[in-house]
């Protein structure tokens, strides 16, 4: 049990976990999402080869039980922003068979450590309003609302 970085041999496993997140969003926001390929092997290879992109895998009983996909964003020389680094969580999922066992908190702890290693000043993510379970988890991890993306339908 522990963490490791995803490699090219992990595509199928990572795809299945990405699909779990996608399926939740598809079911809750069918007005936004349509069923399809979540990520191609080429896209996956580009992610794992990019030094500013990392997929952390939590291993439990020799199986991947969850993941955190995060990217490093650097803001340097922008006229209205202070120079800095932000760690951004693109995807975070614990396999449905392993939820509510403390694995999410462990993965999040490793993600925070990765953010520190990147010298990031913050660790950020987006969470859909329809995903109250995730929102509750992130609140427990100490995240606070920074901004809100709002929408209205234009018919």
């Amino acid at each position: 049990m522990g963490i490791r970085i995803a490699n090219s041999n992990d595509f199928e496993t990572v795809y299945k976990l990405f699909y779990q997140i996608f399926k939740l969003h598809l079911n809750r926001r069918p007005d936004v999402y349509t069923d399809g390929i979540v990520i191609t092997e080429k896209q996956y290879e580009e992610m794992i080869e990019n030094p500013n992109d990392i997929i952390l895998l939590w291993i439990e009983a020799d199986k991947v039980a969850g993941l955190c996909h995060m990217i490093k964003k650097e803001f340097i020389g922008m006229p209205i922003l202070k120079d800095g680094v932000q760690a951004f969580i693109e995807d975070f999922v614990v396999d449905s068979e392993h939820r509510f066992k403390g694995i999410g908190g462990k993965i999040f702890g490793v993600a925070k450590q990765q953010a520190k290693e990147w010298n990031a000043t913050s660790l950020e993510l987006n969470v859909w309003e329809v995903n109250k379970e995730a929102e509750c988890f992130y609140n427990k991890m100490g995240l606070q609302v920074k901004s809100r993306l709002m929408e209205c339908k234009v018919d």
Side-chain angles (χ1 to χ4, degrees):
M1 124 176 124
I3 204 84
R4 74 172 172 81
I5 297 172
N7 61 51
S8 58
N9 297 324
D10 296 311
F11 174 73
E12 287 184 28
T13 301
V14 169
Y15 187 94
K16 287 175 186 173
L17 289 172
F18 277 3
Y19 194 80
Q20 284 185 29
I21 303 168
F22 168 72
K23 195 69 171 172
L24 180 138
H25 292 135
L26 175 64
N27 289 339
R28 295 183 183 179
R29 287 299 308 256
D31 60 316
V32 175
Y33 293 100
T34 184
D35 207 359
I37 296 170
V38 179
I39 185 172
T40 66
E41 285 189 65
K42 184 176 188 264
Q43 290 169 319
Y44 177 76
E45 289 296 328
E46 289 171 359
M47 288 165 52
I48 64 173
E49 291 172 7
N50 183 340
N52 292 327
D53 202 324
I54 191 168
I55 302 174
L56 303 168
L57 303 178
W58 186 266
I59 309 301
E60 194 77 27
D62 295 325
K63 293 186 178 180
V64 176
L67 67 75
C68 177
H69 168 218
M70 54 195 295
I71 60 173
K72 177 182 176 182
K73 296 181 178 182
E74 295 184 78
F75 301 96
I76 299 169
M78 299 177 108
I80 62 169
L81 292 176
K82 292 183 177 183
D83 288 353
V85 175
Q86 174 195 83
F88 190 87
I89 294 176
E90 289 283 338
D91 303 285
F92 190 100
V93 62
V94 174
D95 184 78
S96 58
E97 295 177 17
H98 296 277
R99 291 187 187 143
F100 307 105
K101 298 178 182 175
I103 292 171
K106 293 173 184 175
I107 298 170
F108 193 83
V110 176
K112 280 179 73 173
Q113 186 58 42
Q114 180 64 51
K116 288 177 186 176
E117 289 176 23
W118 282 342
N119 294 314
T121 56
S122 65
L123 176 58
E124 300 182 9
L125 56 82
N126 289 322
V127 61
W128 283 88
E129 283 292 312
V130 295
N131 194 349
K132 294 298 181 189
E133 304 93 324
E135 185 179 350
C136 180
F137 169 75
Y138 295 133
N139 286 334
K140 285 181 186 176
M141 295 298 108
L143 279 86
Q144 299 174 353
V145 174
K146 177 180 179 179
S147 66
R148 291 189 189 268
L149 178 65
M150 301 175 78
E151 71 176 338
C152 72
K153 301 294 180 189
V154 180
D155 296 328

